[in-house]
Amino acid sequence: MRSVFIHSHEVAKFDFGLGHPYKPERAIKAYELCRRYGVMDRPWMKTMAPKPIDTGLLSLFHDEEYLRLLREASTGKVTLDMLAHGIGSEDNPILPGIYEWSLMTAGATYIGMRLIVEGKADVVFNPLGGFHHARRDYAEGFCYVNDVAIAIADVMKSGLKVAFIDIDAHHCNGVQDAFYEEDRALVVSLHETGETLYPGTGRVEEIGGGKGVGYNINIPLAEGTDDEVFVYAFQEVVPPVIRAFEPDLVVAEIGADTLRSDPLTDLMLTNNAYQEVVKAIKGLSQPLLALGGGGYDIYRTARCWTLAWSILNEVEPEDEFAGVVGGMMFGPEMEVSSLYDVPRPTTGRVKEKAFARAKEAVEFIKSKVFPLHGIKR
Ligand SMILES: [Zn+2]
């Protein structure tokens, strides 16, 4: 196995401003935690710094006028046109250097994809990737440039089939848009239902259009979805469709905002389900490009990514207390005393509702989508 962890302190230090929930520095925390737990130093592992993406590739997904406005916003200029494209909103502030920064994060994902496609790596993790909400001509959900859509669109030009699996708590609206009518890109997303969470899309009925019918799969989940419900929904749907689709490679967005402690979402996972699902994705055994995505409880997100990197490399973190440095636990000591969460299922009505909701989605997919792939239920 050859694996690459894409990392740059400089890129991860980019600041969205005080009070903004998105903290790119989570990537530094994850990188450091991986090192402390001894899962970053095996002979088959490499750390690689990102390079900015060739700007010519941006138009694989984005609109020229939108890119022009983003370049302007990056110099500190503010115009009304920008707001009409989501640039300058509360979620997507006008930040000096945002264009150049987005070129770096899109470049990180692009490099990861090239390493996979050229057979130079079997597994790549880019914690600073997964801007799945960026639209063709609209910035939203903390995303300006859609690294996912660009990298996938690029490899599709050479005829490769790509499966995108998104376990971030939010629906991947930008990526869904990009490949809605495609049958060579399979997009599967598990997320909190749009009835209670941004971006509001990702209904189970959104199964693709034109020749892409059946190649877009959404599993919306209710508030209070816990480990058991999430793993159930994943296992019932994702492995069978990926096997039937036979992709050349898998891109996975492994956001950690499904955790019960996440301040932005209402799902109730612990990192036990997170690990199980990452293991299952790894077990699908295609070359894999993993992208960070969301996660707004930054310490627990760093823990999830450390566990994910360990799973992707089939190594065990050294020991429970390797994270202790100079007597200090990593993160808020009281809360984060080990890499592993204690299982915490939801109960009663909340659990029943979440399970019923997941079953409904699974049944819909089995009856409407499975037959399109020749999968027996
Ligand atoms: Zn998210």
Side-chain angles (χ1 to χ4, degrees), residues 94-109:
I94 293 174
L95 300 163
I98 186 63
Y99 177 72
E100 291 72 18
W101 185 76
S102 299
L103 294 183
M104 286 303 271
T105 53
T109 296

Side-chain angles (χ1 to χ4, degrees), residues 132-133 168-171 197 253 255 257 265 293-296:
H132 57 177
H133 299 305
D168 184 281
H170 298 91
H171 175 241
L197 188 69
E253 175 143 348
D257 46 9
T265 76
Y296 306 97

Side-chain angles (χ1 to χ4, degrees), residues 105-253:
T105 53
T109 296
Y110 180 76
I111 286 169
M113 191 66 117
R114 293 315 308 166
L115 288 166
I116 297 271
V117 170
E118 289 163 16
K120 291 177 183 155
D122 307 296
V123 172
V124 178
F125 182 30
N126 171 26
L128 279 169
F131 295 92
H132 57 177
H133 299 305
R135 319 297 284 267
R136 218 170 277 287
D137 61 355
Y138 203 86
E140 60 174 76
F142 321 153
C143 306
Y144 299 80
V145 168
N146 200 317
D147 58 316
V148 189
I150 293 166
I152 294 177
D154 186 59
V155 293
M156 283 173 64
K157 285 191 301 192
S158 36
L160 296 179
K161 275 165 66 177
V162 184
F164 177 60
I165 305 172
D166 192 324
I167 59 164
D168 184 281
H170 298 91
H171 175 241
C172 52
N173 53 342
V175 181
Q176 168 168 305
D177 286 357
F179 306 111
Y180 203 66
E181 300 194 349
E182 259 303 337
D183 60 357
R184 287 176 307 123
L186 173 69
V187 174
V188 190
S189 174
L190 285 87
H191 47 262
E192 180 176 338
T193 166
E195 290 156 25
T196 49
L197 188 69
Y198 167 85
T201 48
R203 290 179 307 119
V204 70
E205 294 84 6
E206 295 161 22
I207 61 167
K211 69 179 184 343
V213 171
Y215 295 86
N216 191 84
I217 298 175
N218 286 314
I219 311 177
L221 299 162
E223 297 169 287
T225 289
D226 65 0
D227 288 353
E228 188 189 3
V229 174
F230 195 88
V231 170
Y232 156 80
F234 180 93
Q235 291 292 8
E236 288 293 311
V237 172
V238 183
V241 293
I242 299 293
R243 282 193 201 105
F245 181 62
E246 297 184 321
D248 294 299
L249 61 105
V250 172
V251 180
E253 175 143 348

